[in-house]
């Protein structure tokens, strides 16, 4: 290997190790797997952007929301303000500036739902959406995609903003699998979860870095015991179909 190539590989490896540490992941994995994290395009924003399906790519891109690019294809995530007090999620794909598809029917109830995170390695796209409660029928929201998910619905209560993780076919934008991701209070009611980062392992597992309010869940859904105030830095690893958790851990919790 030439010296220049070794230098680039060393820089990539160092960057990957730092990313793994920030995500709370073990660095005792193979070099090829470390590089796979870096090669997957990932983008998560604290705030979602508004757009509609008739807007140009340049207009949507200028708003600075979450987006991922593989080759000439770019996918943007956000929401559309469909009424004075209701937001519905949006996901759109452009190839070299040409709109390929735009999804408007993931969630059409009265609940506010937005999208704010993506990861894509050229295969399946994983996208993060929000929910603040349960309204309408399962056929009108993400519950219809999460029937086999780790968590199949929002849970008890309402008002707390939770995450919904989805696995999406990049060819048409259709959701293949989904799971809700929430915290749980001592009384069993649902509490807030904010996703901060997304990464993919070489085996396809999805690594989620999040901020969990009281209290994060173990892999068996039960709430953790924590010895400090929330939010808690939380890392959770899902199988590719989002139906099982491999591991979950939170700083200050057990």
């Amino acid at each position: 290997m030439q010296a220049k190539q070794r230098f680039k590989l060393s820089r990539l490896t160092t960057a990957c190790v730092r990313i793994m540490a920030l995500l709370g992941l073990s660095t005792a994995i193979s070099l090829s797997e470390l590089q796979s994290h870096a090669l997957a395009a990932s983008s998560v924003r604290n705030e979602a952007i508004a757009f509609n399906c008739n807007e140009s790519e340049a207009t949507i891109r200028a708003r600075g929301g979450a987006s991922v690019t593989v080759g000439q294809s770019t996918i943007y995530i956000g929401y559309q303000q469909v009424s004075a007090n209701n937001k519905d999620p949006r996901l759109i794909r452009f190839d070299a500036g040409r709109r390929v598809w735009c999804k408007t029917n993931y969630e059409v109830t009265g609940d506010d739902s937005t999208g704010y995170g993506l990861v894509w390695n050229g295969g399946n796209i994983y996208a993060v959406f929000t929910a603040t409660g349960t309204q309408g029928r399962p056929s009108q929201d993400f519950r219809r995609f999460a029937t086999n998910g780790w968590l199949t619905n929002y849970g008890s209560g309402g008002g707390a903003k939770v995450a919904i993780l989805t696995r999406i076919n990049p060819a048409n934008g259709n959701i293949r699998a989904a799971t809700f991701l929430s915290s749980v209070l001592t009384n069993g009611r649902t509490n807030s979860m904010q996703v901060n980062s997304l990464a993919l392992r070489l085996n396809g597992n999805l690594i989620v870095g999040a901020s969990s309010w009281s209290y994060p869940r173990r892999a068996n859904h039960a709430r953790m015991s924590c010895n400090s105030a929330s939010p808690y830095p939380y890392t959770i690893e899902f199988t590719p179909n989002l139906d099982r958790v491999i591991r979950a851990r939170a700083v200050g919790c057990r």
Side-chain angles (χ1 to χ4, degrees), residues 26-246:
S26 171
T27 56
I29 56 179
S30 68
L31 175 59
S32 61
E33 184 168 355
L34 284 171
Q35 290 169 348
S36 76
H37 287 281
L39 295 175
S42 180
S43 177
V44 180
R45 296 287 187 269
N46 290 332
E47 296 293 334
I49 61 163
F51 64 83
N52 66 66
C53 293
N54 295 320
E55 293 182 295
S56 69
E57 181 176 13
T59 298
I60 296 172
R61 182 175 59 243
R63 295 191 179 129
S67 67
V68 288
T69 299
V70 173
Q72 292 189 316
S73 301
T74 302
I75 294 171
Y76 300 85
I77 193 169
Y79 69 92
Q80 183 172 349
Q81 191 79 45
V82 295
S83 70
N85 58 359
N86 189 23
K87 300 173 182 177
D88 285 351
R90 295 291 182 263
L91 191 71
I92 190 168
R93 172 177 172 169
F94 291 93
D95 284 4
R98 177 183 62 87
R99 184 174 65 249
V100 179
W101 48 256
C102 185
K103 303 301 290 188
T104 63
N105 63 351
Y106 292 151
E107 187 276 327
V108 294
T109 74
D111 184 47
D112 264 351
S113 181
T114 66
Y116 65 97
L118 296 162
V119 64
W120 188 21
N121 62 2
N124 289 292
I125 306 160
Y126 288 89
V128 183
F129 298 96
T130 66
T132 61
T134 302
Q135 297 187 40
R137 301 184 302 275
S139 61
Q140 296 177 301
D141 63 24
F142 291 98
R143 284 173 290 173
R144 70 187 187 274
F145 308 117
T147 54
N148 295 315
W150 180 66
L151 289 178
T152 60
N153 55 59
Y154 177 91
S156 174
K161 184 184 289 188
V162 307
I164 304 160
L165 305 172
T166 59
R167 182 184 183 187
I168 294 171
N169 182 349
N172 53 26
N174 291 342
I175 294 178
R176 290 170 161 169
T179 184
F180 286 74
L181 179 60
S182 63
S183 306
V184 59
L185 294 164
T186 54
N187 61 8
R189 290 172 65 92
T190 294
N191 208 2
S192 299
M193 180 75 69
Q194 172 75 29
V195 170
N196 302 318
S197 63
L198 298 168
L200 290 172
R201 286 197 186 276
L202 192 62
N203 64 5
N205 285 357
L206 176 67
I207 311 295
V208 179
S211 296
S212 172
W213 275 255
S214 300
Y215 293 94
R217 297 178 186 267
R218 300 188 182 101
N220 65 358
H221 306 128
R223 67 178 177 88
M224 295 182 180
S225 299
C226 304
N227 56 19
S228 59
S230 66
Y232 307 99
Y234 183 53
T235 303
I236 186 166
E237 179 177 348
F238 289 91
T239 53
N241 285 330
L242 306 175
D243 57 352
R244 188 165 59 93
V245 166
I246 303 301

